[in-house]
Amino acid sequence: DAKTTQPDSMESTEGETVHLPCSHATISGNEYIYWYRQVPLQGPEYVTHGLQQNTTNSMAFLAIASDRKSSTLILPHVSLRDAAVYHCILRVFSNTGYQNFYFGKGTSLTVIP
Amino acid sequence: EAAVTQSPRNKVAVTGGKVTLSCNQTNNHNNMYWYRQDTGHGLRLIHYSYGAGSTEKGDIPDGYKASRPSQENFSLILELATPSQTSVYFCASGDVGFPERLFFGHGTKLSVL
């Protein structure tokens, strides 16, 4: 079962602010939310992560709902270089030491000049 | 900058043949991972390792073996390749910061005919 749900695709115009949504309704208290992005012929690249509080870095702003069941990656003033597939991921821990990053299918972001 | 190198970049194999995918990291990270990426799915975890000499099963280990002979190297082995294993395979290493971040290679495109 998918742990995260994202729209398949979104489109934006250069210079706009983009809001990429992700639903993770079954998230547990110790599971971190990560976002990675991926361009063709390359592996995913780290964007940001969070647990409960909103976070910001040079790449993006991550808004996490107060119940943690959803999050939104906000990309300010997008450029053509921001066109990519954006993956919303949960990092799962277990008492047995098992750990995994559960990737969703990702949202393909198209940026129009 | 973290560096994860995969070889080969492309591989064509015959059904029933043995395939070895190699991964080398120069980050001195303890954790390493093998994922596969298929259309319609997010990245799925095959095997992972906590350090030299250790290998652990991920979510979809059937038909795959892994080997971690050193801190730097992590291999994925398909003893008897099947067409269903046609996919793009990504290796990643994980830093020791908490929470962990993954650094991915460029991927290996494997076609089993």
Side-chain angles (χ1 to χ4, degrees), chain A residues 4-22:
Chain A
T4 62
T5 303
Q6 302 173 253
D8 289 339
S9 62
M10 293 184 65
E11 192 174 272
S12 179
T13 302
E14 266 195 305
E16 290 185 339
T17 296
V18 173
H19 292 73
L20 300 173
C22 181

Side-chain angles (χ1 to χ4, degrees), chain A residues 36 44 46, chain B residues 1-4 27 29 91-95 101-105:
Chain A
Y36 276 68
Y46 171 84
Chain B
E1 182 66 29
V4 179
N27 312 318
H29 290 165
C91 175
S93 70
D95 65 9
R101 291 180 304 165
L102 297 184
F103 296 87
F104 285 86

Side-chain angles (χ1 to χ4, degrees), chain B residues 19-99:
Chain B
V19 177
T20 299
L21 306 183
S22 300
C23 179
N24 175 273
Q25 55 111 349
T26 59
N27 312 318
N28 197 32
H29 290 165
N30 288 335
N31 297 344
M32 295 187 74
Y33 304 81
W34 276 107
Y35 286 88
R36 64 178 283 176
Q37 185 174 35
D38 303 290
T39 303
H41 293 275
L43 276 74
R44 293 179 290 172
L45 182 65
I46 306 170
H47 283 288
Y48 62 102
S49 168
Y50 293 122
S54 94
T55 61
E56 306 289 340
K57 294 180 179 179
D59 289 338
I60 53 166
D62 293 346
Y64 302 94
K65 289 173 54 179
S67 174
R68 183 86 182 270
S70 65
Q71 179 82 339
E72 297 79 18
N73 296 294
F74 190 37
S75 298
L76 186 68
I77 303 154
L78 291 67
E79 294 278 4
L80 296 169
T82 68
S84 65
Q85 294 175 313
T86 293
S87 186
V88 180
Y89 292 85
F90 288 98
C91 175
S93 70
D95 65 9
V96 297
F98 187 82

